[in-house]
């Protein structure tokens, strides 16, 4: 941290700041500028968390130099992490695809979707049993019954299961039936929920919040990791902008930013990212070309009849076409060795 003193700060003001820093167990170094004095703080700045530096007499402002997240940062963990979910490796050479309906609607619908997802070569079946819907009158999910169908679909296909948890009380049942717990965009800064999933012993898929900065998103990952759970995969799913043509604006630059800032794998969800099934394939290809570690896409046996997110759901045919393109594209990128984000 660097503390910038006001141009008229007195010697007494400077001594007061140096004392506050040393009382916190850190060292302050004074740097003389032509107009102002600057104090550099050396050591772990979390020790200063309870000191209101900016409120001390003579202080103009303070600037954090190191990032507030550490466990999620590549700075302290240069090698990219590979997250193993029951033998499926996310962040390795192959892109991992999580596909399935927005919501589990019935056993028949889920099994039909699961068979299609399996035949296309995805590794995970997705499907919400607890749906965070904008309107309380919209379909809210089958809850525990939906979780049981998901577990049956795993038995049937061998696919791993990823599904959303929306409440602290829901963590135990979701962790019992699923291989990976999804924290949805709306809960990315539900810190109580983040802390609890940090203790659940299962890998977490952390979606980016509707209006979250990359810094806020990585701090959300830090909350989970700080509770002892290192298995976090990030998912870019679009952010809210002034554009109304698409449901969200898919921020593919987040892939490159995250790869620089963090060692955690990142996948991309072009379904929620665009809200339009026609845009899913091109954005999925773009995500893989940008270096994403995988994709999440919505697939429904009959999107026109879907109880949620039909307009962005792929038909079985479109899903199979997407998967065949993803395989070709990732083979090309891999063979040509076009990506190496290790630093
Ligand atoms: C979902 O994946 O079904 C979902 C609700 O996504 P998001 O949290 O990204 O809106
Ligand atoms: Mn959805």
């Amino acid at each position: 941290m660097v503390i910038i003193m006001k141009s008229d700060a007195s010697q007494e003001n400077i001594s007061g700041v140096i004392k506050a820093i040393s009382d916190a167990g850190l060292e302050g170094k004074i740097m003389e500028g032509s107009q102002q004095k600057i104090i550099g703080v050396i050591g772990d700045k979390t020790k200063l968390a309870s000191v209101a530096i900016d409120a001390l007499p003579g202080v103009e402002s303070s600037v954090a130099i190191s990032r507030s997240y550490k466990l999620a940062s590549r700075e302290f963990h240069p090698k990219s992490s590979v997250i193993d979910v029951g033998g499926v490796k996310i962040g390795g050479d192959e892109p991992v695809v999580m596909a399935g309906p927005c919501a589990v609607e019935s056993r028949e619908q889920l099994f039909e979707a699961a068979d299609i997802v399996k035949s296309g070569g995805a590794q995970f079946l997705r499907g919400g049993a607890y749906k965070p819907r904008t309107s309380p009158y919209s379909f809210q999910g089958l809850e525990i019954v939906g979780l049981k169908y998901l577990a049956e679909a795993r038995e049937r296909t061998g696919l791993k299961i990823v599904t959303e948890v929306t409440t602290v009380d829901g963590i135990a049942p979701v962790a019992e039936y699923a291989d990976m717990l999804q924290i949805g965009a709306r809960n990315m800064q539900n810190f109580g929920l983040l802390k609890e999933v940090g203790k659940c012993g299962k890998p977490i898929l952390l979606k980016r919040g509707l209006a979250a900065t990359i810094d806020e998103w990585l701090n959300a990952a830090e909350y989970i990791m700080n509770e002892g759970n290192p298995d976090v995969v990030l998912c870019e799913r679009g952010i809210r902008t002034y554009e109304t043509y698409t449901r969200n604006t898919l921020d593919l630059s987040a892939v490159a930013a995250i790869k620089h800032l963090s060692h955690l794998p990142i996948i991309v969800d072009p379904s929620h990212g665009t809200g339009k099934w026609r845009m899913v394939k091109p954005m999925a290809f773009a995500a893989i070309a940008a270096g994403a570690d995988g994709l999440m896409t919505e697939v429904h046996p009959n999107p026109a009849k879907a109880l949620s997110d039909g307009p962005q759901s792929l038909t079985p045919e479109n899903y199979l076409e997407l998967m065949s393109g993803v395989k070709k594209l990732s083979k090309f990128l891999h063979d040509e060795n076009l990506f190496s984000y290790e630093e």
Side-chain angles (χ1 to χ4, degrees), residues 34-322:
S34 56
Q35 315 270 315
Q36 276 168 308
K37 286 196 174 66
I38 287 173
I39 301 172
V41 183
I42 297 159
D44 177 3
K45 80 165 174 14
T46 57
K47 289 186 181 167
L48 275 179
S50 58
V51 185
I53 288 288
D54 289 53
L56 293 177
V59 172
E60 173 70 37
S61 59
S62 63
V63 184
I65 302 291
S66 61
R67 304 185 209 289
S68 49
Y69 51 87
K70 299 230 169 341
L71 301 169
S73 168
R74 200 185 272 282
E75 220 178 320
F76 300 97
H77 191 300
K79 200 170 154 28
S80 294
S81 285
V82 176
I83 308 295
D84 190 319
V85 186
V88 174
K89 294 187 168 48
I90 309 175
D93 288 341
E94 297 285 315
V96 168
V97 180
M98 306 181 182
C102 179
V104 180
E105 298 170 8
S106 67
R107 181 188 263 120
E108 295 66 36
Q109 172 251 16
L110 186 69
F111 283 11
E112 210 182 323
D115 291 348
I116 297 155
V117 166
K118 176 76 181 175
S119 71
Q123 295 90 339
F124 277 78
L125 175 66
R126 61 143 291 144
Y130 299 87
K131 293 306 303 174
R133 304 304 299 280
T134 300
S135 162
Y137 307 118
S138 301
F139 176 60
Q140 301 287 308
L142 297 182
E143 305 187 341
I144 193 83
V145 173
L147 293 177
K148 289 183 178 165
Y149 293 162
L150 284 164
E152 283 183 48
R154 171 177 46 214
E155 289 300 306
R156 182 183 168 95
T157 58
L159 291 165
K160 303 291 168 207
I161 302 298
V162 58
T163 193
E164 181 164 353
V165 60
T166 55
T167 59
V168 169
D169 288 348
I171 296 173
V174 174
E176 184 186 336
Y177 292 103
D179 300 291
M180 185 175 214
L181 277 63
Q182 176 173 323
I183 296 290
R186 289 154 194 81
N187 276 314
M188 191 208 81
Q189 283 190 315
N190 182 339
F191 300 117
L193 187 60
L194 297 178
K195 286 184 190 173
E196 289 305 313
V197 296
K199 299 175 196 153
C200 79
K202 288 272 165 106
I204 307 299
L205 183 70
L206 178 63
K207 288 193 134 192
R208 183 177 182 179
L210 307 171
T213 64
I214 285 174
D215 188 78
E216 286 163 345
W217 190 13
L218 288 171
N219 272 296
E222 190 83 3
Y223 264 93
I224 300 170
M225 300 172 86
N226 193 38
E227 296 297 329
N229 188 349
D231 296 331
V232 178
V233 175
L234 302 166
C235 179
E236 162 62 37
R237 48 77 72 206
I239 47 174
R240 189 160 285 190
T241 67
Y242 54 79
E243 181 55 69
T244 54
Y245 177 69
T246 44
R247 180 176 178 181
N248 291 293
T249 296
L250 187 65
D251 178 13
L252 288 181
S253 73
V255 174
I258 291 290
K259 286 289 174 191
H260 173 63
L261 294 171
S262 177
H263 56 93
L264 297 174
I266 174 169
I267 69 165
V268 171
D269 172 354
S271 305
H272 294 89
T274 64
K276 289 177 160 31
W277 70 267
R278 284 178 197 283
M279 297 182 72
V280 169
K281 188 172 75 173
M283 291 301 98
F285 290 175
I288 296 297
D293 297 298
L295 299 167
M296 171 172 266
T297 77
E298 288 184 339
V299 184
H300 195 285
N302 185 355
K305 291 265 168 66
L307 295 183
S308 68
D309 287 351
Q312 67 192 35
S313 298
L314 296 175
T315 59
E317 298 69 35
N318 286 331
Y319 161 72
L320 295 175
E321 205 181 296
L322 173 133

